[in-house]
Amino acid sequence: MMRKKFLCVPAVLPFFCISVSAVRQQQAEELATADAIELCGPPDASALEILDRDCPAINGSVKAEPALTVTATSRQLNYRRYKLPELRLYICHPHARRLGFLVSTLGVEEIKSTEHMAEVASKLLKNKLWNSEQSTFGKAYAKYKVWKGTRTDTNRALLWVLDRDGNLVIAPELQGIVEKHGDLTPGSSPVDRPDLGDAQLVSPVCCCSRMTGDENTCKYITVAEASLKYCCKLRVGGCPSFTRYSRMDGRCGELRPELFERRVSGHYRGVARAGGEIRFPDGQGSPWVHDKSGYSLSRVEPESLKEEGGSSDGAKKMKAASKTAPLGTCAMSRLRSYWSSLGWPVAGLTFDAVSFPEGREVMTPA
């Protein structure tokens, strides 16, 4: 949509200037609600029908496996808020007004074509989309998970969540802290998204460090000014402390206001449909997708958490909430088909449903 330009002369038309300013401020506030649900647009009814469709009963069982329905989860943190991670990928649902968005150290990039989406998919499935080296903490954490017996590989894991509207949100697990699935879909309560009053405006900040060597050592944006060169990157929430990076506005290109976010955090994991990890085996082998997440294994009926005529009161009702069965192979098989419909070459990947018979972790291929 073409944005009209207005001439504002305060001495002549003060009221007009105030009105234009108010309209622009209101537009900026409306465009600032840019999480996956806002960016991708209204959900597609036909896609939701496929996700909600009942799974058939198998092996003579009377009770069918759960479908990919909207759920809350009893898994909640009590030592910090859930907050959207700095690096993440949004893959919008079928028939959305946009294909998706990639948030990296270079900023927010809209995925505008199927070719671009295929490129993103190829890099992600090689674990090179965010292309950062594994930190010392990351290596130690990976070895700890293997020692603990909860993983068999030492590569960086990616978290995924299928949100309430059928958008896929993917992010690296380690980003300074250990991200949780609830960070991808935070809520002001276990059944709500963060409201605008509960969140702060988070704008990307251009952080630069003066370069003293070869520009090829800069993994981000190289900026030349006179005889000086800088390595710059966009960061959400400000420049890192105790580093050589400092804020230098304007060096990272134009920042699009409609991609700034306000619905960024909450005290609870909000609702979603499923969650899990994308794992990459050591050595040769294709990545695999599993559903080890509170959204898949610790599911709670959202309606049982809602107050009459309002939203949930949080943890007080969690103990009395109606627990539902964990997801199974039907849901993961459906997820593979759904993910493929979004333009991703996942048909050949392994999709596993996690279960814990007698406390032992078992992954069953879908």
Side-chain angles (χ1 to χ4, degrees), residues 66 69-77 82 181-182 190-191 269-276 291-302 304-305 318-319 321-328 354-356:
T69 53
V70 175
T71 184
T73 176
S74 59
R75 295 287 299 274
Q76 302 290 341
L77 296 178
Y82 292 98
H181 291 94
V191 295
R269 300 189 188 206
V271 294
R273 291 177 177 269
D291 66 346
K292 192 175 180 179
S293 163
Y295 287 125
S296 304
L297 301 171
S298 303
R299 294 167 67 87
V300 175
E301 173 56 51
S304 67
L305 287 171
M318 189 63 73
K319 291 183 179 180
S322 301
K323 307 296 191 297
T324 58
L327 298 182
V354 179
S355 59
F356 292 87

Side-chain angles (χ1 to χ4, degrees), residues 37 69-73 76 161-167 169 181-182 184-194 268-274 295 299-303 305-306 312:
I37 292 173
T69 53
V70 175
T71 184
T73 176
Q76 302 290 341
V161 168
L162 182 66
D163 74 12
R164 67 168 200 190
D165 287 357
N167 307 302
V169 187
H181 291 94
L184 278 58
T185 48
S188 57
S189 83
V191 295
D192 295 298
R193 296 172 61 209
Y268 302 92
R269 300 189 188 206
V271 294
R273 291 177 177 269
Y295 287 125
R299 294 167 67 87
V300 175
E301 173 56 51
E303 293 300 319
L305 287 171
K306 291 183 178 180
S312 168

Side-chain angles (χ1 to χ4, degrees), residues 105-106 205-208 220-221 231-235 240 245 252:
T105 54
L106 300 180
V205 175
C206 187
C207 302
C208 300
Y220 310 110
I221 304 170
C231 182
C232 302
K233 60 181 178 179
L234 281 170
R235 282 181 58 88
Y245 284 92
C252 294

Side-chain angles (χ1 to χ4, degrees), residues 18 23 55 71 86 110 135 200 244 251 253 266 274 287 299 360:
I18 294 173
V23 169
C55 286
T71 184
E86 178 183 348
E110 182 175 355
S135 65
Q200 62 186 28
R244 295 180 293 111
R251 273 74 170 183
R299 294 167 67 87
R360 180 172 54 91

Side-chain angles (χ1 to χ4, degrees), residues 21-240:
S21 176
V23 169
R24 286 177 175 170
Q25 181 178 355
Q26 181 181 357
Q27 290 175 338
E29 291 175 352
E30 291 173 351
L31 291 172
T33 57
D35 62 0
I37 292 173
E38 296 290 342
L39 285 176
C40 295
D44 177 61
S46 60
L48 297 187
E49 190 277 330
I50 293 174
L51 297 175
D52 290 333
R53 188 179 301 160
D54 291 339
C55 286
I58 57 175
N59 298 329
S61 173
V62 176
K63 192 172 183 180
E65 290 184 356
L68 291 170
T69 53
V70 175
T71 184
T73 176
S74 59
R75 295 287 299 274
Q76 302 290 341
L77 296 178
N78 56 15
Y79 58 88
R80 71 169 176 86
R81 292 170 63 90
Y82 292 98
K83 183 178 180 180
L84 287 175
E86 178 183 348
L87 307 177
R88 59 196 182 278
L89 171 68
Y90 297 149
I91 308 172
C92 296
H93 62 77
H95 310 300
R97 61 190 179 194
R98 288 156 167 164
L99 292 177
F101 290 85
L102 173 63
V103 186
S104 69
T105 54
L106 300 180
V108 183
E109 179 183 9
E110 182 175 355
I111 301 170
K112 295 184 177 181
S113 66
T114 54
E115 292 78 15
H116 191 184
M117 181 67 80
E119 179 184 350
V120 169
S122 176
K123 289 181 179 179
L124 184 141
L125 295 177
K126 295 176 182 176
N127 209 4
K128 295 183 178 180
L129 182 59
W130 287 280
N131 204 26
S132 58
E133 296 181 0
Q134 198 171 22
S135 65
T136 301
F137 169 72
K139 293 177 181 178
Y141 179 78
K143 291 181 179 179
Y144 162 73
K145 298 290 279 188
V146 172
W147 172 83
K148 188 179 178 182
T150 56
R151 289 187 184 169
T152 58
D153 65 272
T154 57
N155 292 312
R156 293 175 299 169
L158 304 179
L159 305 180
W160 65 266
V161 168
L162 182 66
D163 74 12
R164 67 168 200 190
D165 287 357
N167 307 302
L168 274 163
V169 187
I170 304 174
E173 179 188 32
L174 295 182
Q175 300 189 38
I177 64 171
V178 180
E179 304 288 350
K180 301 296 184 180
H181 291 94
D183 290 311
L184 278 58
T185 48
S188 57
S189 83
V191 295
D192 295 298
R193 296 172 61 209
D195 53 53
L196 297 181
D198 189 39
Q200 62 186 28
L201 176 63
V202 177
S203 304
V205 175
C206 187
C207 302
C208 300
S209 173
R210 183 174 173 180
M211 296 176 60
T212 57
D214 186 357
E215 66 180 51
N216 292 327
T217 60
C218 178
K219 300 179 181 179
Y220 310 110
I221 304 170
T222 301
V223 178
E225 293 186 352
S227 59
L228 301 178
K229 288 185 178 181
Y230 297 91
C231 182
C232 302
K233 60 181 178 179
L234 281 170
R235 282 181 58 88
V236 174
C239 300

